[in-house]
Amino acid sequence: MLIGCLPAASQTSSLAALVAQGQRAFNAGDYTQALRSFEQAQKLSSDCAIPFFIGLARYRLKQIDEAIVEFSSAAACNPSMPDARIALAEAYAEKGDDNRALAAYEAVLKLQPNNVEALRASGKLCLRHEMNTQAVPLLERLVELQPADPQAKCDLAAAYAATGKFEQAEKELDQALRADPDNASALVGLGAVYLRTNRTQQALPLLQKAVTRVPNDSKPFYLLGSAYNRLGKYQEAVTALEQAARLSPNDADIYYQLASACEHAGRSEERHAAMQRFAELKEQSEKTFEARRKAMKLLLQAKPLVDDGKLQEALQLVKEAQQLYPDNDQVLYRLASLYYDAGQYEPAHQCAQQAISRAPSEWTYYYLMGLIQERLENSAQARNSFETVVQLNPKSAEAYNQLGQIALESHDPQEAIEEFKRALALDPRKAAYKLNLEAAYRAAKE
């Protein structure tokens, strides 16, 4: 991705030189130099495009969490900047957080309903998570905008088929294959539609062709094996399904079909092994689902205990929730909050850091981290955390107030005055901000 210029109105000669230098370095692939130039430019300008550029450089340097912060900051600075939200979505998708990626793409589509990139990516994410009804209108719009794109038609067909609209799915896939007879997605999709509508014999040649086009994809082998099972060609089914299992060893459905093929082929030992693996995977999936459901329930049960001041009881429940769902950022954040309230600042810091690493764009996590760092007497780190808060949420009056207090404690009353002014401008009725500002003015006179 090449990057363009900042709006001319935001540029001084030195700023323009730094931005131009950063652009040249970025477009030449020197992302470290680009980052240095853009960070220097940021010291001269609050233009919302600069954190976006910084995010792009960090993203190319594989600093995904830092890039997410910058993209979020750019989007918060200018909510009408779709490129920042698209970049944020891509970064979250690479991090494996599809929920936040989808939310970012949805924000783009509110700004630009016909944004092709956002339509395509959000449609695919919906399909991946079986949100098929939600995928249909996104992909219909995409096909309307990109009528010559066979992949868009294949994705729409997948959504149609998943919602029982087989005729519409078949129509889209036929058109995709006319445009590209070797399109693997269209071959697999049409083969699947034929299987779903009991036209197994018609599905067979499509799936046989598909496995030669995408030999590292388990789905066409799985569908081919299923077709062979239906046609009574059990040895062929075993061969196809064993290959599918090699490619996707954690797909329970493959082992179920494989067990059926082995049973009919008279291969009892292989059938037993396949059924055992199927049972293991189903049990594992059910346990994971149940553990996560219970963890969320425990969070709900902890809330009234916190409200009643029963912190230790609440803490015990949330600890249990974290054991059940160890990678969930919301659970980690709640646990960090309870550790903080209980005065256990070291474990609070650890949990807050883990929550931030999983969701780097959540400003509330940085705010809690700042409070924890203050308790640990790490004022410089606390300042960094609160500065990140106002990057991500420029309307956080309390974060500006915290920055003012840190500045006052650091014997910098002028900086404290500016921070307290910002807090008061955002929340003029807050008496504490007025008192803090008066204290900063007194300190400046001393």
Side-chain angles (χ1 to χ4, degrees):
M1 177 181 182
L2 301 181
I3 55 178
C5 297
L6 290 170
S10 70
Q11 297 185 25
T12 63
S13 58
S14 57
L15 173 62
L18 286 169
V19 170
Q21 183 182 60
Q23 291 166 342
R24 287 193 299 271
F26 185 95
N27 294 335
D30 187 350
Y31 306 120
T32 300
Q33 179 57 51
L35 179 60
R36 282 197 292 264
S37 297
F38 291 137
E39 286 182 332
Q40 288 176 349
Q42 192 173 45
K43 296 176 182 178
L44 302 177
S45 171
S46 60
D47 193 295
C48 301
I50 294 180
F52 171 61
F53 291 167
I54 292 173
L56 290 176
R58 289 195 178 279
Y59 185 82
R60 293 297 180 90
L61 290 168
K62 304 299 181 183
Q63 300 172 9
I64 304 301
D65 288 357
E66 293 86 348
I68 286 173
V69 171
E70 298 297 340
F71 294 144
S72 299
S73 173
C77 176
N78 180 2
S80 299
M81 187 191 295
D83 286 350
R85 296 187 184 277
I86 287 176
L88 176 62
E90 291 176 352
Y92 261 126
E94 181 163 334
K95 192 175 174 65
D97 191 337
D98 287 353
N99 288 332
R100 286 187 171 87
L102 183 57
Y105 284 125
E106 288 173 344
V108 173
L109 292 172
K110 288 181 181 178
L111 296 170
Q112 297 179 341
N114 292 335
N115 187 295
V116 168
E117 188 174 356
L119 287 167
R120 189 187 310 281
S122 58
K124 284 185 178 294
L125 286 172
C126 288
L127 288 176
R128 182 185 302 169
H129 295 281
E130 299 183 357
M131 301 162 61
N132 301 302
T133 301
Q134 186 175 336
V136 168
L138 297 170
L139 295 168
E140 284 179 335
R141 186 184 294 274
L142 176 63
V143 168
E144 183 180 347
L145 295 169
Q146 303 280 299
D149 184 347
Q151 189 57 54
K153 292 181 179 296
C154 291
D155 290 342
L156 176 57
Y160 279 150
T163 52
K165 299 176 180 178
F166 298 115
E167 289 185 11
Q168 294 97 315
E170 188 171 341
K171 177 183 175 183
E172 297 297 333
L173 292 164
D174 282 336
Q175 291 177 2
L177 283 173
R178 281 199 294 271
D180 180 5
D182 293 328
N183 186 288
S185 295
L187 291 167
V188 173
L190 191 55
V193 167
Y194 283 158
L195 287 178
R196 293 283 299 275
T197 53
N198 299 313
R199 289 176 283 173
T200 306
Q201 198 65 56
Q202 289 176 259
L204 194 60
L206 295 171
L207 297 171
Q208 288 171 331
K209 186 176 182 180
V211 298
T212 67
R213 296 292 182 271
V214 281
N216 295 318
D217 186 350
S218 67
K219 185 174 181 180
F221 285 102
Y222 166 71
L223 293 173
L224 180 60
S226 301
Y228 280 137
N229 260 345
R230 291 191 188 186
L231 295 171
K233 298 182 178 183
Y234 301 118
Q235 295 295 350
E236 293 92 334
V238 169
T239 300
L241 291 164
E242 285 180 337
Q243 179 61 17
R246 280 190 286 271
L247 293 168
S248 292
N250 297 319
D251 189 327
D253 291 339
I254 293 173
Y255 291 98
Y256 186 83
Q257 282 288 332
L258 179 56
S260 176
C262 289
E263 180 179 13
H264 287 93
R267 299 165 66 166
S268 58
E269 290 187 9
E270 290 95 328
R271 175 198 174 278
H272 176 75
M275 280 303 295
Q276 186 175 19
R277 182 61 176 155
F278 168 75
E280 289 172 356
L281 290 169
K282 291 296 288 185
E283 182 181 9
Q284 179 181 329
S285 176
E286 289 167 3
K287 282 184 177 179
T288 299
F289 176 81
E290 178 59 25
R292 292 178 176 182
R293 186 195 67 79
K294 186 177 179 181
M296 294 299 103
K297 185 176 180 180
L298 288 170
L299 286 189
L300 292 175
Q301 292 173 351
K303 188 178 185 306
L305 294 174
V306 175
D307 295 340
D308 291 341
K310 299 176 180 178
L311 290 182
Q312 291 303 319
E313 293 179 39
L315 185 57
Q316 190 58 42
L317 289 181
V318 180
K319 282 182 181 179
E320 186 179 344
Q322 198 268 332
Q323 290 176 346
L324 291 167
Y325 202 168
D327 294 329
N328 183 273
D329 60 277
Q330 296 177 38
V331 175
L332 287 163
Y333 171 68
R334 291 288 295 277
L335 186 55
S337 299
L338 285 170
Y339 275 133
Y340 175 80
D341 291 341
Q344 300 180 44
Y345 302 123
E346 289 293 348
H349 183 277
Q350 182 179 359
C351 290
Q353 188 59 58
Q354 291 174 358
I356 287 171
S357 73
R358 285 160 177 76
S361 63
E362 293 291 336
W363 68 268
T364 51
Y365 298 179
Y366 292 96
Y367 184 82
L368 175 60
M369 177 61 88
L371 296 178
I372 295 167
Q373 288 164 334
E374 284 186 324
R375 293 292 186 177
L376 292 171
E377 299 183 354
N378 296 326
S379 60
Q381 294 178 19
R383 184 199 306 272
N384 290 338
S385 293
F386 291 127
E387 285 176 347
T388 303
V389 172
V390 298
Q391 265 189 278
L392 297 171
N393 179 16
K395 296 182 179 180
S396 177
E398 189 56 32
Y400 285 116
N401 182 61
Q402 292 290 343
L403 286 168
Q405 291 178 335
I406 290 172
L408 204 55
E409 291 167 4
S410 301
H411 308 292
D412 189 349
Q414 291 301 326
E415 178 63 25
I417 288 169
E418 294 304 315
E419 300 294 358
F420 290 137
K421 280 183 176 179
R422 293 185 182 103
L424 198 56
L426 288 165
D427 192 353
R429 294 177 296 179
K430 190 82 169 184
Y433 300 166
K434 295 178 182 177
L435 293 174
N436 287 339
L437 180 58
E438 291 170 1
Y441 276 126
R442 288 195 299 272
K445 293 177 181 178
E446 293 176 357

